[in-house]
Amino acid sequence: MKKTRAVITGVHGWVPDYVLTNRELETMVDTNDEWIVTRTGIKERRILKGENKGTSVIGINAVKGLLEKTNTNPEDIELIICATVTPDMPFPATANIIADGVGATKSYSFDISAACSGFLYALTMGSQFIETGMHKKVIVVGADKMSAIIDYQDRATCIIFGDGGGAVLLEPTEEEVGVMDSLLLSDGSGAPYLHMKAGGSRKPATAETVAAREHYAYQEGSTVFKFAVTNMAEVSAQIMDRNQLVADDIAWLVPHQANKRIIDATANRMGIGPEKVMLNIERYGNTTAGTLPLCLWDYESQLKKGDNIILAAFGGGFTWGSIYLKWGYDPK
């Protein structure tokens, strides 16, 4: 009996129109374009402007585009999972708002919070619903409006993050394509190095926490960088080893777009040349849970059925992981 796998049958992304360049950031904090590009590889990022516009706007636009390009009736969608750390509100889940916004009236939906590794976690979970036969059409969204939790007086973080995201459609297949393996890890002892200080149940919002600017992302950059370089590279190498893959077997590495130096270190550890590395950090910055689907969307026209693809990410918490998948369709 053939194994049922979950295969990506479509991908679509969405980013806001407003472009925040390094030159504009120079007018906001003590930094410059050369410094930012040298240390991060980022030249610009997108920002979602306007009142009452949250992460659901990104998700709804990405899913609408996905449904249209795959000719999928929204009422056929059974489950929507949204990976995000910037939900529209603590509840309801942003996935619920997305489902309503796209007309997926027969689906149920929920959010996953795993920071920059969120899309990996959500894709693995969505795949399992397909593999068990429980569902036939699952949408996985990775999206974040990071501008909502970034302090634009803090040059350590405001240069890095942007808004955007994407979505994929998962369906069952008995072919040797789809999500082949995943390796997900976490270490809660990393929480002090990348977190938000206030706004949760431990430290609810008060006038004092707002005045102290504690509702923004806090990061100890050097510590996070060291952990990310080591763990993102190592987990990618591990998933290759346990699937008997060598560098020549890999068509593409899809790395989390946090820092160009981390991406380079991961590729070097895997023995993969730059021509096989998906890269769009220079245009979008770090969109947290949105980076991996945005990469797949940007590079979709270059992907071929059967391509071996390694996805890798590292995020706050700490969370990290890697997925090995075989691409499921040829360019249209």
Side-chain angles (χ1 to χ4, degrees):
M1 201 173 161
K2 290 187 177 179
K3 176 180 172 63
T4 297
R5 299 187 188 278
V7 63
I8 293 175
T9 56
V11 59
H12 197 74
W14 190 84
V15 292
D17 292 332
Y18 189 89
V19 178
L20 176 59
T21 65
N22 291 346
R23 295 299 182 191
E24 184 174 353
L25 281 172
E26 289 177 4
T27 69
M28 300 163 65
V29 291
D30 183 16
T31 191
N32 62 74
D33 176 72
E34 181 183 3
W35 190 92
I36 296 171
V37 173
T38 300
R39 285 160 179 79
T40 69
I42 302 168
K43 296 180 181 178
E44 59 188 39
R45 65 290 292 147
R46 301 299 183 97
I47 304 296
L48 181 60
K49 300 273 192 175
E51 290 187 13
N52 294 316
K53 289 187 176 181
T55 296
S56 64
V57 171
I58 299 168
I60 288 169
N61 279 286
V63 173
K64 280 185 174 179
L66 175 65
L67 294 171
E68 182 178 349
K69 74 192 291 185
T70 58
N71 195 28
T72 301
N73 184 335
E75 292 188 356
D76 290 337
I77 300 302
E78 297 159 279
L79 169 62
I80 296 176
I81 307 173
C82 179
T84 186
V85 293
T86 55
D88 282 24
M89 54 193 84
F91 62 90
T94 298
N96 294 8
I97 300 170
I98 293 170
D100 178 63
V102 303
T105 56
K106 296 181 179 178
S107 73
Y108 68 103
S109 48
F110 58 87
D111 291 353
I112 284 181
S113 178
C116 300
S117 306
F119 184 76
L120 290 180
Y121 280 43
L123 184 60
T124 299
M125 183 173 288
S127 297
Q128 291 168 349
F129 281 102
I130 298 287
E131 290 171 6
T132 60
M134 184 173 287
H135 299 313
K136 295 189 182 302
K137 290 185 185 291
V138 173
I139 286 179
V140 177
V141 180
D144 272 298
K145 182 187 175 183
M146 292 304 294
S147 63
I149 60 169
I150 294 302
D151 184 353
Y152 286 92
Q153 295 180 21
D154 176 14
R155 68 174 183 173
T157 56
C158 73
I159 64 170
I160 299 170
F161 295 96
D163 303 340
V168 298
L169 175 62
L170 293 175
E171 297 184 271
T173 183
E174 290 187 347
E175 295 184 72
E176 280 294 304
V177 293
V179 177
M180 309 299 286
D181 194 12
S182 63
L183 181 56
L184 306 176
L185 298 156
S186 64
D187 180 359
S189 68
Y193 308 109
L194 182 52
H195 65 283
M196 186 186 294
K197 295 182 178 182
S201 59
R202 179 188 291 189
K203 196 173 187 181
T206 64
E208 289 74 23
T209 63
V210 173
R213 310 184 74 82
E214 293 183 339
H215 294 266
Y216 297 117
Y218 169 80
Q219 174 174 277
E220 287 188 22
S222 60
T223 303
V224 173
F225 180 86
K226 290 173 186 175
F227 270 85
V229 166
T230 301
N231 290 301
M232 198 165 116
E234 184 59 30
V235 75
S236 302
Q238 286 176 11
I239 206 163
M240 286 175 63
D241 288 343
R242 79 183 197 182
N243 287 280
Q244 292 82 52
L245 297 169
V246 297
D248 287 345
D249 297 324
I250 305 302
W252 294 99
L253 167 65
V254 190
H256 172 52
Q257 308 288 300
N259 184 295
K260 178 67 163 52
R261 292 183 292 167
I262 297 172
I263 293 169
D264 290 344
T266 302
N268 289 337
R269 174 70 174 84
M270 297 167 66
I272 290 175
E275 73 282 356
K276 292 184 175 183
V277 179
M278 292 190 188
L279 194 67
N280 59 16
I281 190 174
E282 73 282 357
R283 292 185 291 127
Y284 303 138
N286 182 353
T287 56
T288 305
T291 67
L292 298 182
L294 277 175
C295 275
L296 291 174
W297 176 53
D298 270 356
Y299 283 79
E300 183 186 18
S301 64
Q302 300 182 52
L303 303 180
K304 301 180 184 66
K305 186 174 182 177
D307 276 353
N308 288 320
I309 298 174
I310 301 293
L311 290 80
F314 181 91
F318 291 129
T319 63
W320 67 100
S322 183
I323 288 177
Y324 163 42
L325 65 83
K326 282 182 173 288
W327 195 246
Y329 57 93
D330 288 318
K332 296 176 182 178

